[in-house]
């Protein structure tokens, strides 16, 4: 068997880039092929179900990134809470390329993406919210207050990504992350 020319992580990042910018319905096989460096036949070999399988793989990859870089970081009781929050915020910055990337969940919630991937989108969104909720409880917030803060953090992150994209300026995203940090400090 020949070695793979494109590593899985590079392929998933390429696919995610297209789905982020085009959504599910707008992503063409040609764009997905170009973004991964693979021919269409190779993509279909790896993902026999086509775009649907690719999108599911990307959503699984994204959830694993959030779990590792946000959830596990914020819930690590062996670290000081301010260090956990700083690290999680830095990881969120990296996930969205300092505000230059739109959210995959937002992109897929348009058109048929929500019908096809609603459960995965909900699961990913809840993972982010649960991460901040558990952090809030760990630093002494009531459960209700922690949930409110966590949902607000998610709303602000998403809204600031849209605003940053529309203005072609990452300041709204970066400013919101600073405000979220201050709110939890």
């Amino acid at each position: 068997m020949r070695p793979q020319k494109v590593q899985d992580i590079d392929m998933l990042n390429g696919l995610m880039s297209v789905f982020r910018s085009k959504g599910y319905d707008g992503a063409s096989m040609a764009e997905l092929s170009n973004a991964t460096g693979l021919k269409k036949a190779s993509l279909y070999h790896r993902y026999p179900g086509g775009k649907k399988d690719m999108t599911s793989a990307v959503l699984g990859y994204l959830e694993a990134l959030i779990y590792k870089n946000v959830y596990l970081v914020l819930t690590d009781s062996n670290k000081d809470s301010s260090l956990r929050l700083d690290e999680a915020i830095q990881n969120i910055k990296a996930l969205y390329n300092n505000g230059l990337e739109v959210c995959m969940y937002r992109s897929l919630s348009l058109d048929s993406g929500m019908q096809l991937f609603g459960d995965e989108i909900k699961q990913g969104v809840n993972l982010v919210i649960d991460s901040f909720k558990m952090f809030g409880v760990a630093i002494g917030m009531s459960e209700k207050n922690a949930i409110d803060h966590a949902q607000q953090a998610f709303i602000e992150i998403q809204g600031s990504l849209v605003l940053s994209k529309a203005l072609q300026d990452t300041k709204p995203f970066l400013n919101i992350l600073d405000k979220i940090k201050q709110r939890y400090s």
Side-chain angles (χ1 to χ4, degrees):
M1 179 181 261
R2 292 186 312 180
Q4 292 180 344
K5 290 182 182 179
V6 177
Q7 297 299 314
D8 285 345
I9 193 163
D10 296 329
M11 181 185 52
L12 289 167
N13 282 321
L15 293 171
M16 184 163 30
S17 176
V18 174
F19 288 127
R20 276 178 159 172
S21 65
K22 303 286 184 163
Y24 179 77
D25 291 328
S28 72
M29 285 304 295
E31 290 167 320
L32 295 166
S33 175
N34 287 338
T36 61
L38 294 173
K39 296 183 185 218
K40 291 178 195 177
S42 295
L43 276 175
Y44 278 115
H45 178 73
R46 288 191 187 191
Y47 301 102
K51 270 194 337 184
K52 189 172 182 187
D53 283 359
M54 290 176 217
T55 306
S56 289
V58 170
L59 284 169
Y61 171 62
L62 178 58
E63 185 172 334
L65 285 174
I66 293 168
Y67 182 77
K68 177 184 175 191
N69 296 303
V70 180
Y71 180 84
L72 289 179
V73 171
L74 287 175
T75 60
D76 182 359
S77 60
N78 294 320
K79 286 185 183 175
D80 177 72
S81 62
S82 63
L83 293 176
R84 288 185 281 171
L85 185 58
D86 284 344
E87 186 178 342
I89 294 294
Q90 289 305 314
N91 291 343
I92 291 169
K93 282 182 186 177
L95 180 64
Y96 296 111
N97 193 19
N98 287 315
L100 295 173
E101 298 285 348
V102 298
C103 180
M104 180 81 175
Y105 300 128
R106 185 204 68 78
S107 295
L108 290 179
S109 66
L110 307 171
D111 302 322
S112 65
M114 195 63 174
Q115 293 170 339
L116 295 169
F117 307 104
D119 290 340
E120 292 100 323
I121 293 168
K122 182 178 179 180
Q123 187 172 318
V125 168
N126 281 330
L127 181 60
V128 175
I129 292 170
D130 287 347
S131 301
F132 279 98
K133 179 193 88 170
M134 292 176 72
F135 180 74
V137 168
I139 63 169
M141 291 181 183
S142 70
E143 177 108 1
K144 183 189 179 324
N145 201 17
I147 290 169
D148 290 344
H149 275 69
Q151 289 176 343
Q152 187 63 36
F154 184 84
I155 290 166
E156 289 174 344
I157 289 168
Q158 296 308 309
S160 68
L161 286 168
V162 171
L163 186 59
S164 288
K165 189 73 168 176
L167 299 177
Q168 298 180 345
D169 181 0
T170 61
K171 286 181 195 150
F173 174 71
L174 298 173
N175 289 341
I176 280 298
L177 292 181
D178 286 340
K179 287 180 182 178
I180 290 170
K181 247 171 75 167
Q182 292 169 9
R183 188 178 308 129
Y184 281 99
S185 296

